[in-house]
Amino acid sequence: MPSNILHMIKNDLLLRALKGEVVERPPVWMMRQAGRYLPEFIEIRKKYDFFTRCQTPELASEITVQPIRRYGMDAAILFSDILVIPQAMNIEVLMKPDFGPFIPNPIRNAKDLEKVVVPDVNESLDYVFDAIKMTKEILNNDIPLIGFAGSPWTILCYIVQGQGSKTFDKAKEFCFKNPILAHELLSKITVTTIAYLKQKVNAGVDVLQIFDSWGGLLSPTDYSEFSWQYINQIIEELKDFAPVVVFGKGCWFALNEMSKSNASALGVDWTITARNARYLSGGNITLQGNLDPSRLLSSKSKIKDLVNNMINDFGKDRYIVNLGHGILPNIPLENVEVFINTVKEYKA
Ligand code: CP3
């Protein structure tokens, strides 16, 4: 049994919202909250490169709790990256400053695919589990800890394209020209991700989130084939271990299919109204989102209004306040405070 089940989390708003329970107010956290808008994060970044920060439990746990110390969100998300999975699968992944992820030898054919392994996650990703244990000690059961992984499709995007892209044209070309190879690769990523997330729960995370950052690039039919079926396999394997949240950027067209799964919540971006998201997802499942991250550049009074309206539109129950995607690096610190505090002060 995961050790965290034996302990009560003092602020369990997120866990209750995920179960669909009635709450005093919705919980709030921000995607990419452990990151570049924080001066204390930038200090650490000056001294250690990206994957050193991910691989050193003392650094990863410190970065994870930095936003909590400053703002008191209702959940922490482990500082790490979705690309530690391909690294563990024997694919070299570099993080180039001011460029982003770079894969020197992208996967393009059967020969490339042969070198991709399904690793023993306890060996290759032990540093993540150590970071979780250390973070859980620092958090002292005050709030839940979220662990995450990329969707198999989103991971495929990076390891086939070789770098970030607006269209991921090479990734799509690979899938559409070699669907058998693509499904072999997606299956390997899925098996690895399931083992990885199970061990994350064993190490102490309370909630899991799958980031499908590039699902919205696919047509509804291709989404079912190349992304959703693998996410659904992950949900089925993990649902009895921890609640699973699925965030699909641009994936509003799949909300109905997603809402019929055993996911505990669905994340939505800012291009959909609360009303339409509720309608498409059938009205019962917990939703998470969806302020446009750039809206944190508005005036403080405007941010307050937007947050209050957003809670009224989604409803305070079965709802988790978040941004519609990760926080941007150029957001003023005081505006983040207004975003978080408006939720904490919310009265129905
Ligand atoms: O949410 C959190 O605060 C936890 C930490 C977190 C990071 N990456 C740290 C990070 C999480 C949840 C991720 C997930 C991730 N990583 C995604 C899915 C979420 C999304 O934004 O769509 C993706 C696509 C990646 C891959 C990735 N990592 C990219 C494209 C980049 C470069 C561009 C960018 O956003 O900076 C990264 C680097 C990265 N991962 C940074 C951080 C804080 C910034 C670089 C640095 O710290 O040096």
Side-chain angles (χ1 to χ4, degrees):
M1 181 189 290
S3 61
N4 47 313
I5 287 178
L6 302 173
H7 303 285
M8 292 291 283
I9 306 274
K10 283 162 220 154
N11 171 352
D12 61 356
L13 272 178
L14 177 69
L15 304 177
R16 284 160 60 205
L18 287 167
K19 285 188 205 144
E21 290 178 14
V22 173
V23 288
E24 310 80 82
R25 62 162 177 90
V28 57
W29 67 282
M30 296 185 307
M31 290 189 277
R32 300 293 204 102
Q33 66 188 19
R36 301 160 294 173
Y37 66 106
L38 286 176
E40 54 271 37
F41 175 87
I42 292 167
E43 278 309 305
I44 293 186
R45 185 174 63 179
K46 282 182 194 154
K47 291 185 223 148
Y48 307 95
D49 69 48
F50 182 73
F51 285 114
T52 301
R53 277 174 274 146
C54 292
Q55 288 161 7
T56 312
E58 288 79 5
L59 296 175
S61 57
E62 165 61 21
I63 296 169
T64 301
V65 299
Q66 280 177 344
I68 311 302
R69 273 194 211 115
R70 207 182 249 275
Y71 301 112
M73 291 88 168
D74 297 307
I77 179 161
L78 186 74
F79 176 78
S80 185
D81 202 84
I82 61 170
L83 298 172
V84 302
I85 284 284
Q87 282 183 331
M89 298 176 75
N90 196 32
I91 301 167
E92 190 184 0
V93 180
L94 311 172
M95 193 62 71
K96 288 194 182 174
D98 302 317
F99 179 83
F102 182 69
I103 293 85
N105 303 299
I107 310 304
R108 300 275 168 81
N109 53 45
K111 211 160 151 265
D112 297 333
L113 186 57
E114 263 171 42
K115 287 181 238 148
V116 178
V117 302
V118 173
D120 176 348
V121 294
N122 284 316
E123 249 166 54
S124 47
L125 293 159
D126 58 335
Y127 62 88
V128 179
F129 312 130
D130 291 341
I132 290 168
K133 287 173 199 151
M134 204 172 277
T135 307
K136 284 295 284 184
E137 279 191 21
I138 301 170
L139 289 175
N140 194 30
N141 282 318
D142 286 341
I143 51 171
L145 178 63
I146 302 167
F148 65 89
S151 74
W153 159 253
T154 290
I155 299 296
L156 178 147
C157 280
Y158 285 101
I159 63 182
V160 174
Q161 191 78 19
Q163 60 184 68
S165 164
K166 283 198 165 66
T167 57
F168 284 95
D169 54 339
K170 294 191 177 78
K172 284 177 140 182
E173 182 183 358
F174 176 73
C175 289
F176 299 158
K177 278 192 179 159
N178 309 295
I180 294 172
L181 284 187
H183 284 297
E184 213 174 296
L185 178 55
L186 289 164
S187 297
K188 282 186 178 184
I189 301 167
T190 302
V191 172
T192 307
T193 301
I194 289 167
Y196 175 60
L197 292 179
K198 281 187 180 166
Q199 279 310 98
K200 276 187 153 173
V201 177
N202 282 333
V205 303
D206 305 285
V207 174
L208 297 168
Q209 176 157 320
I210 312 292
F211 285 89
D212 196 5
S213 306
W214 300 111
L217 294 178
L218 294 167
S219 74
T221 315
D222 290 333
Y223 188 76
S224 296
E225 178 178 348
F226 292 102
S227 190
W228 175 251
Q229 66 158 315
Y230 296 100
I231 294 175
N232 200 33
Q233 279 181 36
I234 296 170
I235 297 168
E236 284 302 304
E237 291 286 338
L238 269 304
K239 66 177 198 302
D240 296 331
F241 291 78
V244 181
V245 182
V246 179
F247 169 70
K249 173 93 174 29
C251 296
W252 59 270
F253 58 81
L255 278 176
N256 193 254
E257 193 173 4
M258 290 171 156
S259 71
K260 293 172 183 150
S261 74
N262 285 305
S264 291
L266 304 175
V268 288
D269 68 32
W270 61 95
T271 63
I272 187 166
T273 59
R275 188 188 166 88
N276 202 15
R278 285 284 182 214
Y279 171 74
L280 290 172
S281 62
N284 282 324
I285 194 163
T286 297
L287 295 178
Q288 173 176 282
N290 70 342
L291 189 76
D292 177 352
S294 301
R295 269 295 176 188
L296 290 183
L297 295 164
S298 301
S299 69
K300 295 195 183 84
S301 66
K302 180 73 184 174
I303 293 170
K304 254 189 172 165
D305 287 348
L306 289 168
V307 171
N308 281 316
N309 290 340
M310 191 165 74
I311 301 173
N312 291 335
D313 290 349
F314 277 96
K316 78 168 169 65
D317 296 318
R318 297 175 200 252
Y319 178 47
I320 301 158
V321 181
N322 207 311
L323 304 173
H325 200 186
I327 185 169
L328 301 167
N330 57 337
I331 300 299
L333 295 170
E334 322 82 73
N335 293 11
V336 176
E337 191 172 349
V338 172
F339 178 77
I340 302 294
N341 285 345
T342 305
V343 183
K344 289 187 169 178
E345 290 156 14
Y346 180 83
K347 294 223 164 45

